[in-house]
């Protein structure tokens, strides 16, 4: 691991001496800081827990420490480690990664030696809200251990921008009193990185007129959709729904944040507008990221699907939409028929249902992506520099970064085969039915070649001709820029890459050898990431995606392993740009040149600038908040004065009852609730514990919460309720609860942010239908008369209800609760009847839940029931009609039953 940089050492020392929350700018190396703390505590003498890390991140940290020669590496606690060996596992010390669910249960059952914990490191601390599991762990830890440290890290300053005093609430949940802010504009960071600046070449690529026209059209439509959305929902008149924010990445989250609580009340128009905004944002992304064929394919598929569904979205009829379709098609082909062009240049070319004769006379244009040309120039420049690079110690490695897998695959194929060959293949694959258009284009190309080279080529076979023409052209092109392609061997020219991940994987003719097969022989690099796309071997040139890798640190690993001298940013991403600054600063004296390709005046540039501005504004807000923040002395919870550590929810205003022994404090029994292990994914156990009730985590077969020996609760969220009503799971759960507990309860818990109703207003149906949730619930209550339903608007309300239900009742026993399984024959002592015959009896006509008990008390078995007369039955059941029904059912012969059945037909 490289030594810490100047500002990183400063952050490390500040946090080491005084616990706190560090908020760092994106990409400034918060992971390097955490790694330094991990390295410090990787020894058996200390026990440090790390919260909020994903398995991929844990893997990365362990790998980095291993390569650094650390002996006592961090360990992971998983379900595979048996409960009885956990205590021993923890006492071995060192750094431990564990999921929050395991840690909560271990703290509650004292499987973890809380007093021996040196401290807790919290990663991604912006997620620590009051109701999450990590906050519960920190509270349990602080209740049992007053000495240990809590240090928290995050690089997401924008997350603190929402809500009132967000950062203060997070610090309260973390039990830390200090806030350390390290934005990119911090004096120490700025001055240090200025000294070690990489050489940056910014290339503002101009968009083609067609691309500009399409971008303007999409922005016009986006604006119209936003206005329409505000018109339908006046409550949404917020600055967040501006056009600038609409093109930024987190816009989907923003709009969901506003509309989710009232989603079920929204009309179809609003919902379709939200969907349209999503589609339009995707179109903007495709325009700058991929080629003209991919963009047109997406656009045409949109129109086709709208027609198929018969629901035309409003924006398809706007003038801007027409101009978008015209320009998108003009980038790929033009209609060759002159008469058609004369009829109407605008209207003729964009009609989808043009007659087939005209459609066949398309001439392919296949506009190349302007960024591709810029990339070609950059690679040529690097190639020329690498020829004269002896004074730098040989040619430098090249790393090209594009946004995702698809963009990387397209770039690779473009660099190897050239723009024309690549776009032709893509066109044939996407719009392959249109054979004649290709032929026209090939004839056109041949004519041009024969003029230039006097080498006419015959063979107008559709696909073969296409391939030969394109490969010839390619060879010609490669003859000119031999320096660029380096002629890795003739076979490389014929290689093709399957670009479209989503499309069906079929290649034509000689294109069947995909790169997946050829990479192992040519590119046998032991790179840490498997997401890269190799191009040249000498000097090593690879393309790597910025997002979409399974390993979040894939690019970081590649950067440090390949150590490129040239980095080409085909797509800009804030975090990686900062990462490159840190990478350069950590290797002083070694040259690094960064080429920054960006479309001038495009939404891509605007998106990057908006991300920068948002982060800067977030830090400015945090600085203001920090200046006016009041942190109480007991915030860190190192003594008993912190009220957050108290476990009693009774308000101070509740007066003592003077009737009971003159108001003396009563010594109550410690309340206990038995909770199923799987329930620790929800926030309810944390809230119950906060109310001063002890929790016993066990694995329950029947129910989720056992409040008393008689009360068993099955908790369902709305989505879970609908799912288990549909698949019949809830019925089985209710059968088991009703059989083994006197008071079975179904708890339906709503989301506190959404409205407290099961169905939208005004959609209550008068008829009972099998698809309706309320109808199914009604049937459930009819079927299980013992079952009680609790409606709770939030988990806080649930915890309060649980406390009230437990008052003056005995405490449940964990062993008894665990012994109850859905098919166990052990019955509660109060129940002296066998469940099998009882179920059978309830199915008989005339027997219901009310008279079933009386019948079972008087009659020993079903065999005895058969011998009873009608009068005896009437006396037992207390109802002559029910007795007649039951008697007739028992004494009906098979022949009579058959005859009855036939007569009914």
């Amino acid at each position: 691991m490289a030594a810490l940089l100047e500002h990183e050492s400063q952050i490390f020392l500040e946090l080491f001496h005084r616990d706190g929350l560090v908020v760092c700018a994106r990409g400034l190396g918060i992971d390097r800081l955490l790694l330094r703390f991990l390295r410090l505590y990787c020894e058996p003498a200390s026990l440090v827990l790390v919260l909020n890390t994903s398995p991929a991140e844990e893997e990365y940290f362990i790998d980095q420490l291993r390569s650094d020669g650390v002996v006592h590496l961090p360990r992971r606690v998983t379900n595979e480690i048996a409960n009885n060996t956990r205590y021993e596992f923890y006492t071995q010390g060192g750094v431990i990664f564990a999921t929050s669910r395991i840690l909560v249960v271990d703290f509650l059952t004292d499987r973890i030696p809380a007093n021996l914990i040196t401290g807790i490191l919290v990663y991604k601390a912006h997620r620590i809200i009051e109701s999450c599991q990590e906050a519960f762990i920190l509270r349990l830890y602080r209740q049992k251990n007053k000495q240990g440290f809590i240090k928290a890290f995050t690089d997401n300053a924008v997350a603190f921008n929402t809500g009132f005093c967000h950062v203060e609430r997070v610090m309260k949940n973390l039990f830390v009193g200090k806030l350390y802010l390290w934005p990119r504009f911090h004096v120490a960071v700025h001055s240090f990185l200025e000294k070690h600046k990489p050489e940056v070449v910014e290339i503002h690529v101009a968009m083609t007129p067609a691309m500009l026209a399409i971008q303007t059209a999409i922005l016009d439509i986006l604006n119209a959709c936003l206005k329409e959305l505000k018109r339908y929902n006046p409550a949404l008149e917020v600055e967040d729904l501006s056009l600038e924010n609409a093109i930024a990445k987190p816009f989907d989250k923003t709009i969901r944040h506003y509309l989710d609580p009232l989603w079920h009340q929204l009309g179809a128009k609003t919902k379709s507008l939200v969907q349209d905004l999503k589609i339009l944002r995707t179109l903007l992304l495709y325009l700058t990221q991929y080629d003209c064929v991919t963009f047109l394919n997406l656009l045409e598929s949109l129109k086709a699907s709208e027609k198929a569904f018969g629901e035309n979205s409003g924006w398809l009829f706007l003038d801007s939409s027409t101009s978008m379709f015209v320009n998108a098609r003009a980038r790929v082909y033009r209609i060759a028929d002159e008469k058609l062009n004369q009829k109407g240049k605008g209207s003729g070319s964009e009609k989808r249902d043009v007659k087939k004769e005209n459609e066949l006379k398309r001439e392919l244009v296949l506009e190349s992506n302007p960024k591709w040309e810029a990339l070609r120039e950059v690679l040529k420049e690097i190639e020329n520099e690498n020829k004269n690079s002896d004074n730098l110690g040989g040619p430098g490695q090249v790393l090209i970064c594009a946004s995702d897998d698809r963009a990387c695959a397209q770039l690779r194929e473009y660099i190897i085969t050239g723009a024309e060959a690549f776009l032709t293949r893509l066109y044939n694959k996407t719009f392959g039915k249109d054979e004649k258009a290709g032929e026209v284009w090939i004839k056109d190309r041949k004519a041009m070649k024969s003029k230039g080279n006097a080498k006419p080529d015959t063979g107008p076979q559709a696909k073969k001709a296409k391939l030969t023409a394109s490969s010839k052209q390619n060879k010609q092109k490669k003859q000119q820029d031999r320096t660029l392609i380096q002629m890795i061997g003739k076979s490389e020219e014929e290689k093709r890459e399957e670009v479209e991940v989503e499309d069906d994987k079929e290649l034509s003719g000689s294109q069947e050898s995909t790169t997946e097969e050829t990479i192992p022989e040519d590119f046998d690099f032991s790179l840490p990431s498997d997401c890269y796309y190799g191009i040249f071997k000498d000097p090593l040139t690879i393309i790597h995606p910025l997002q979409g890798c399974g390993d979040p640190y894939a690019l970081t690993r590649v950067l440090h392993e390949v150590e490129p001298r040239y980095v080409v940013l085909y797509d800009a991403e804030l975090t990686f740009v900062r990462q490159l600054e840190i990478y350069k600063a950590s290797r002083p004296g070694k040259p690094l040149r960064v080429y920054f390709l960006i479309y001038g005046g495009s939404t891509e540039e605007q998106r990057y600038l908006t991300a920068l501005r948002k982060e800067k504004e977030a830090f400015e807000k945090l600085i203001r908040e920090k200046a006016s923040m009041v942190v109480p002395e007991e915030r860190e919870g190192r003594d008993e004065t912190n009220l957050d550590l108290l476990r009693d929810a009774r308000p101070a205003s509740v007066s003592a009852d003077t009737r009971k022994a003159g108001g003396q404090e009563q010594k109550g029994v410690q309340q206990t609730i038995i909770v199923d292990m799987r329930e620790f994914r929800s926030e309810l156990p944390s809230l119950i514990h906060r109310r001063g009730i002890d929790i016993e985590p066990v694995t329950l077969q029947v129910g989720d919460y056992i409040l008393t020996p008689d009360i068993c609760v099955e908790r369902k969220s709305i989505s879970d309720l609908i799912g288990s009503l549909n698949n019949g799971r809830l019925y089985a759960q209710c059968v088991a609860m009703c059989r083994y507990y006197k008071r079975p309860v179904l708890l339906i818990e709503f989301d506190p942010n959404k409205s407290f109703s099961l169905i939208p207003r005004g959609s209550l149906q008068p008829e009972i239908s099998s698809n309706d949730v309320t109808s199914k619930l009604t049937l459930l209550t009819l079927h299980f008369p013992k079952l009680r339903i609790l409606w709770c608007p939030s988990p806080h309300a649930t915890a309060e209800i649980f406390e009230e239900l437990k008052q003056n009742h005995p405490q449940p026993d964990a062993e008894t609760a665990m012994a109850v399984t859905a098919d166990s024959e052990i019955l509660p002592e109060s129940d002296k009847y066998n469940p099998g015959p009882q179920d059978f009896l309830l199915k008989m006509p005339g027997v219901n839940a009310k008279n079933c008990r009386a019948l079972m008390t008087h009659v020993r078995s079903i065999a005895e029931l058969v011998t009873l007369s009608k009068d005896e039955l009437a006396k037992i059941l207390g109802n002559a009609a029910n007795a007649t029904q039951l008697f007739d059912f028992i004494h009906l012969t098979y022949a009579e039953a058959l005859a009855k059945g036939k007569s009914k037909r």
Side-chain angles (χ1 to χ4, degrees), residues 284-330:
L284 266 181
L285 208 65
Y286 269 53
L287 179 67
T288 51
Q289 221 145 301
Y290 307 123
D291 57 278
C292 57
V293 180
T294 310
F295 180 79
L296 181 65
N297 187 29
L298 174 68
L299 209 54
E300 295 287 15
S301 69
L302 279 179
K303 201 157 191 179
S305 67
E306 288 294 347
K307 277 204 164 177
F309 288 119
E311 287 176 11
N312 277 313
S313 226
W315 67 269
L316 278 174
F317 302 121
L318 296 174
D319 293 343
S320 308
S321 165
T322 311
S323 111
M324 176 168 66
F325 275 95
V326 171
N327 284 299
R329 287 175 186 150

Side-chain angles (χ1 to χ4, degrees), residues 88-335:
E88 203 179 307
F89 183 86
Y90 289 123
T91 48
Q92 288 168 12
V95 173
I96 286 176
F97 293 114
T99 62
S100 20
R101 208 175 70 169
I102 288 177
L103 277 181
V104 167
V105 173
D106 286 356
F107 265 112
L108 288 169
T109 52
D110 287 325
R111 279 191 209 124
I112 188 164
N115 56 327
L116 299 179
I117 297 174
T118 317
I120 293 184
L121 300 171
V122 186
Y123 198 45
K124 291 183 276 208
H126 58 277
R127 295 186 183 166
I128 307 295
I129 53 170
E130 189 182 359
S131 56
C132 72
Q133 292 302 324
E134 287 76 20
F136 188 18
I137 292 166
L138 292 167
R139 200 167 77 238
L140 289 169
Y141 163 67
R142 261 294 169 251
Q143 281 165 357
K144 298 178 179 186
N145 182 329
K146 305 288 181 194
Q147 261 55 56
F149 65 75
I150 295 174
K151 302 185 192 300
F153 312 81
T154 181
D155 62 353
N156 191 346
V158 182
F160 293 110
N161 228 347
T162 55
F164 178 68
C165 288
H166 192 136
V167 71
E168 211 166 326
R169 281 180 292 154
V170 168
M171 286 170 68
K172 187 179 166 189
N173 297 329
L174 287 165
F175 296 100
V176 295
K178 286 287 281 179
L179 175 63
Y180 302 105
L181 299 174
W182 287 85
R184 172 65 179 82
F185 55 81
H186 192 290
V187 179
V189 179
H190 184 72
S191 59
F192 176 71
L193 291 179
E194 277 298 301
K195 288 182 214 161
H196 302 278
K197 272 203 303 195
E199 185 189 343
V200 180
V201 182
E202 270 194 46
I203 301 171
H204 285 269
V205 184
M207 293 168 88
T208 63
M211 283 173 81
L212 269 173
I214 292 170
Q215 180 179 284
T216 312
I218 297 176
L219 289 175
D220 284 349
I221 299 167
L222 254 176
N223 209 9
C225 283
L226 283 170
K227 277 182 184 166
E228 196 80 348
L229 190 67
K230 286 177 189 170
R231 191 165 71 81
Y232 277 96
N233 303 279
L236 287 182
E237 198 56 63
V238 280
E239 67 278 0
D240 286 343
L241 297 184
S242 64
L243 190 59
E244 185 192 357
N245 287 335
I247 58 174
K249 269 184 188 159
F251 182 70
D252 287 337
K253 272 186 191 168
T254 310
I255 207 154
R256 202 177 305 131
H257 170 73
Y258 285 116
L259 294 178
D260 211 24
L262 38 128
W263 187 255
H264 66 294
Q265 297 172 8
L266 298 177
K269 182 76 178 172
T270 307
K271 288 180 180 177
S272 74
L273 278 169
V274 172
Q275 190 56 33
D276 290 346
L277 287 172
K278 204 171 179 182
I279 290 168
L280 291 164
R281 282 161 45 77
T282 310
L283 283 171
L284 266 181
L285 208 65
Y286 269 53
L287 179 67
T288 51
Q289 221 145 301
Y290 307 123
D291 57 278
C292 57
V293 180
T294 310
F295 180 79
L296 181 65
N297 187 29
L298 174 68
L299 209 54
E300 295 287 15
S301 69
L302 279 179
K303 201 157 191 179
S305 67
E306 288 294 347
K307 277 204 164 177
F309 288 119
E311 287 176 11
N312 277 313
S313 226
W315 67 269
L316 278 174
F317 302 121
L318 296 174
D319 293 343
S320 308
S321 165
T322 311
S323 111
M324 176 168 66
F325 275 95
V326 171
N327 284 299
R329 287 175 186 150
R331 289 177 72 201
V332 180
Y333 58 78
R334 61 172 180 269
I335 306 293

Side-chain angles (χ1 to χ4, degrees), residues 372-386 398-400 411 414-415 483-485 535-536 541 543 566 568 595:
W372 291 353
E373 301 305 322
L375 180 64
R376 190 174 273 270
E377 293 299 317
V378 165
L379 288 176
K380 263 189 189 174
E381 187 182 309
I382 292 171
E383 181 59 40
N384 291 334
E385 280 195 19
N386 272 340
V398 185
L399 173 65
I400 304 168
L411 286 182
Y414 161 72
I415 291 167
T483 51
L484 172 69
I485 297 301
I535 306 175
F536 312 136
T541 303
I543 308 181
Y566 305 101
V568 184
Y595 290 93

Side-chain angles (χ1 to χ4, degrees), residues 19 53 82 120 236 238 264 267 368 392 431 585 603 612 618 702 739 831:
D19 291 1
T53 47
I120 293 184
L236 287 182
V238 280
H264 66 294
S368 175
L392 292 171
F431 304 100
T603 52
L612 263 176
V702 176
R739 181 170 292 166
D831 207 340

Side-chain angles (χ1 to χ4, degrees), residues 82 122 217 306 324 399 452 512 542 551 659 687 689 768 811:
V122 186
E306 288 294 347
M324 176 168 66
L399 173 65
E512 267 163 17
I542 59 170
D551 176 8
R659 292 197 164 205
L687 298 171
H689 184 266
I768 283 186
Q811 303 311 311

Side-chain angles (χ1 to χ4, degrees), residues 588-827:
K590 291 189 179 177
L592 172 70
R593 183 183 298 166
V594 180
Y595 290 93
F596 211 108
L597 303 184
I598 202 156
Y599 284 117
S602 70
T603 52
E604 179 193 33
E605 184 180 31
Q606 186 57 52
R607 208 177 291 128
Y608 182 75
L609 294 173
T610 304
L612 263 176
R613 180 179 62 76
K614 283 264 168 75
E615 191 186 71
K616 185 170 176 283
E617 282 174 3
F619 268 113
E620 285 168 353
K621 184 182 172 189
L622 284 174
I623 291 166
R624 286 196 300 275
E625 273 189 34
K626 185 182 175 181
S628 60
M629 196 185 286
V630 178
V631 180
E633 278 182 16
E634 69 274 5
R635 166 65 57 80
E636 294 190 3
R638 293 185 188 274
D639 49 31
E640 296 301 331
T641 51
N642 188 325
L643 298 175
D644 289 320
L645 294 176
L646 294 180
R647 288 185 52 206
D648 190 7
R650 278 182 306 174
S653 57
V654 176
S655 56
D657 186 355
T658 51
R659 292 197 164 205
K660 290 180 185 168
Q664 290 175 21
E665 206 167 297
Q666 304 289 309
K667 279 198 173 178
V669 183
Q670 176 55 47
Q671 301 282 335
T672 309
I673 289 181
I674 294 164
V675 182
D676 183 33
M677 291 281 199
R678 289 165 292 239
E679 277 299 299
F680 283 94
R681 291 193 186 96
S682 76
E683 61 191 277
L684 186 53
S686 154
L687 298 171
I688 293 170
H689 184 266
R690 194 152 195 178
R691 298 190 81 85
I693 301 170
D694 279 353
I695 288 174
E696 259 189 85
V698 295
T699 306
L700 296 175
Q701 291 279 318
V702 176
D704 292 329
Y705 297 85
I706 310 295
L707 307 188
T708 71
D710 294 340
I711 303 176
C712 168
V713 180
E714 179 68 41
R715 189 188 72 91
K716 296 281 180 200
S717 63
I718 297 299
S719 54
D720 195 13
L721 174 76
I722 294 166
S724 51
L725 274 172
N726 289 341
N727 63 20
R729 198 171 82 244
L730 185 57
Y731 178 82
Q733 287 169 334
C734 289
V735 167
M737 282 201 300
C738 291
R739 181 170 292 166
Y740 299 109
Y741 291 95
K742 276 186 184 173
R743 293 200 183 88
V745 176
L746 172 64
L747 167 79
I748 299 170
E749 199 173 81
F750 289 78
D751 187 336
N753 301 321
K754 296 183 183 176
S755 76
F756 184 38
S757 67
L758 203 54
I759 49 172
R761 285 178 300 190
S763 66
L764 192 60
Q765 297 168 343
E767 304 297 320
I768 283 186
S769 80
S770 58
N771 301 326
D772 195 29
V773 181
T774 43
S775 300
K776 285 181 181 172
L777 270 179
T778 312
L779 289 170
L780 195 73
T781 48
L782 286 171
H783 204 91
F784 300 104
K786 275 196 339 185
L787 184 71
R788 297 285 172 267
I789 296 182
L790 286 180
W791 304 83
C792 291
S794 73
H796 290 270
T798 309
E800 200 173 327
I801 289 174
F802 278 9
E803 191 176 15
E804 287 170 10
L805 285 173
K806 279 188 66 61
Q807 277 172 10
N808 307 322
H809 283 287
Q811 303 311 311
D813 177 46
E815 284 182 20
T816 314
M818 284 170 74
V820 174
T821 59
D823 48 0
S824 70
E825 289 304 315
I826 308 159
L827 290 163

